[in-house]
């Protein structure tokens, strides 16, 4: 993958490399054509909201670990 760092024995570098790979996979998925589901089909809104909440919590933990203000 483009932009992936060479991993070292450093746990922080390893975590950063894994994060970069995950973001790359998200970007690739977001670039795929969208399929419009019929009403009542597709991912339930509650599931989407749960994923969004989990992502927000993960970003907050990452910012706290990096010492960034939110």
């Amino acid at each position: 993958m483009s932009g992936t760092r060479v991993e070292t024995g450093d746990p922080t570098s390893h975590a950063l490399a894994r994060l970069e790979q995950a973001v790359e996979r998200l970007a690739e998925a977001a670039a795929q054509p969208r399929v419009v589901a019929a009403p009542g089909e597709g991912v339930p809104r509650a599931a989407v909201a749960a994923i969004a909440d989990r992502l927000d919590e993960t970003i907050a933990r990452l910012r706290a670990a990096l010492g960034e203000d939110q």
Side-chain angles (χ1 to χ4, degrees), residues 1-69:
M1 285 185 199
S2 64
T4 302
R5 297 177 190 270
V6 176
E7 292 185 32
T8 66
D10 177 24
T12 303
S13 294
H14 179 69
L16 181 57
R18 289 182 57 210
L19 178 60
E20 288 174 338
Q21 291 168 356
V23 169
E24 183 69 24
R25 288 190 304 272
L26 286 169
E28 290 170 4
Q32 297 299 315
R34 304 283 192 279
V35 176
V36 178
E41 295 182 4
V43 179
R45 288 185 186 269
V48 173
I51 292 169
D53 289 344
R54 186 174 173 191
L55 182 56
D56 287 342
E57 291 170 6
T58 301
I59 291 168
R61 287 195 320 265
L62 177 60
R63 285 182 172 158
L66 296 174
E68 292 184 8
D69 294 329

